[in-house]
Amino acid sequence: MGLTYQMKMKIPFDMADMNGHIKLPDVILLSLQVSGMQSIELGISDKDMFERYNLVWIITDYDIDVVRLPRFAEEITIETEALSYNRLFCYRRFTIYDEEGQEIIHMVATFVLMDRESRKVHPVESEIVAPYQSEFSKKLVRGPKYTDLKEAVSKDYHVRFYDLDMNGHVNNSKYLDWIFEVMGADFLMHHIPKKINLKYVKEVRPGGMINSSYNLDGLESHHQITSDGEINAQAIVKWQEMKKD
């Protein structure tokens, strides 16, 4: 197991939705901020990765379990740990605790290294991951099988300049925005995610249009993000009805 790193923070007003819960895409943003701070303290920040190796980290998959969503002004602790790595993939855990130390969100992200110029996946080098003290393991973490959607509900969205990150591609939290937004306000006012599997397939091009589509079967929804006739991301979301406070 690797080094752990924690940060405490309070949920700001602009990260809360109409129900007073943190927006799940912002959970991802905060979590990646914590892992980024760990990398900076270990002397291998995103800037270092680019300047030394011409490489950037990208995320290919998320596996997220939600007990409940923290609320506006609630103090949470985000803990992260680089779990393991193999020739191509690195696995990182994020755990969010409430003020009583109860685990309320658990997330595992799969990272790969990408050459910034060629945009091709680069093998993981031991010297890059050594500061995190994570274990080498040949075991691959496999997500669920995703199927193409038929007769789905869909909506188009324009890819805006502020959807892009400093690497020039759509920030991975934005995909969750598109996945949730298409569900509609009435559904989102009464449901929160319980389990999310999200797979990134291909980068969305800046400045274009994407289509977010879904099928809903009971409390399970299947999602696709597509652009230019190709699949960019797929997700499966299991929902839970919101409890009254």
Side-chain angles (χ1 to χ4, degrees):
M1 308 298 277
L3 294 175
T4 60
Y5 185 86
Q6 288 186 346
M7 286 182 64
K8 291 183 181 292
M9 56 191 71
K10 285 193 174 183
I11 308 304
F13 179 82
D14 61 352
M15 286 190 177
D17 64 16
M18 290 178 63
N19 292 308
H21 299 130
I22 189 172
K23 305 163 192 171
L24 203 54
D26 287 327
V27 171
I28 288 179
L29 289 175
L30 292 176
S31 297
L32 294 179
Q33 177 184 340
V34 174
S35 63
M37 288 302 298
Q38 182 186 35
S39 296
I40 290 172
E41 292 196 9
L42 292 174
I44 191 160
S45 67
D46 288 346
K47 182 180 179 182
D48 295 321
M49 290 293 297
F50 173 65
E51 292 180 348
R52 293 185 205 170
Y53 307 103
N54 197 38
L55 298 174
V56 295
W57 288 108
I58 63 171
I59 296 172
T60 62
D61 296 83
Y62 278 112
D63 187 326
I64 307 171
D65 291 285
V66 179
V67 176
R68 70 172 181 87
L69 293 172
R71 302 184 66 86
F72 162 63
E74 181 177 356
E75 184 177 79
I76 60 172
T77 299
I78 300 179
E79 180 180 84
T80 189
E81 175 188 12
L83 295 172
S84 64
Y85 71 98
N86 52 52
R87 194 176 70 87
L88 291 177
F89 300 104
C90 296
Y91 305 107
R92 178 177 281 275
R93 169 184 65 85
F94 298 91
T95 307
I96 298 179
Y97 302 96
D98 64 15
E99 294 178 1
E100 285 72 45
Q102 298 295 313
E103 180 179 315
I104 55 176
I105 300 176
H106 185 273
M107 178 166 59
V108 175
T110 302
F111 288 78
V112 299
L113 285 169
M114 183 180 71
D115 185 285
R116 189 167 181 177
E117 292 180 1
S118 69
R119 314 301 278 185
K120 293 182 179 180
V121 173
H122 190 280
V124 177
E125 299 176 5
S126 58
E127 67 176 286
I128 292 176
V129 295
Y132 302 102
Q133 298 182 25
S134 57
E135 300 176 349
F136 178 83
S137 174
K138 292 183 179 180
K139 183 178 179 181
L140 298 177
V141 177
R142 301 188 185 278
K145 291 184 178 180
Y146 300 91
T147 58
D148 288 341
L149 304 187
K150 297 180 180 179
E151 299 181 359
V153 179
S154 65
K155 187 175 181 179
D156 293 331
Y157 296 92
H158 179 69
V159 182
R160 303 169 303 175
F161 177 81
Y162 289 112
D163 295 333
L164 308 179
D165 60 23
M166 62 186 295
N167 292 321
H169 60 248
V170 174
N171 188 284
N172 63 76
S173 67
K174 185 61 190 178
Y175 292 79
L176 271 184
D177 272 337
W178 292 326
I179 285 169
F180 291 155
E181 181 67 24
V182 75
M183 301 294 295
D186 185 63
F187 184 88
L188 296 175
M189 284 293 294
H190 297 92
H191 300 85
I192 63 171
K194 181 178 181 180
K195 173 79 173 180
I196 301 171
N197 288 103
L198 173 59
K199 180 179 182 64
Y200 299 100
V201 180
K202 187 176 182 179
E203 288 184 90
V204 170
R205 292 183 180 180
M209 298 291 294
I210 68 97
N211 179 269
S212 177
S213 58
Y214 78 95
N215 284 333
L216 180 63
D217 182 9
L219 289 177
E220 181 171 294
S221 56
H222 294 248
H223 299 260
Q224 280 186 178
I225 302 293
T226 59
S227 62
D228 299 323
E230 296 184 301
I231 295 176
N232 300 100
Q234 296 171 291
I236 300 172
V237 184
K238 295 181 180 178
W239 300 88
Q240 54 188 322
E241 293 185 7
M242 198 173 301
K243 296 178 181 178
K244 301 289 186 180
D245 291 335

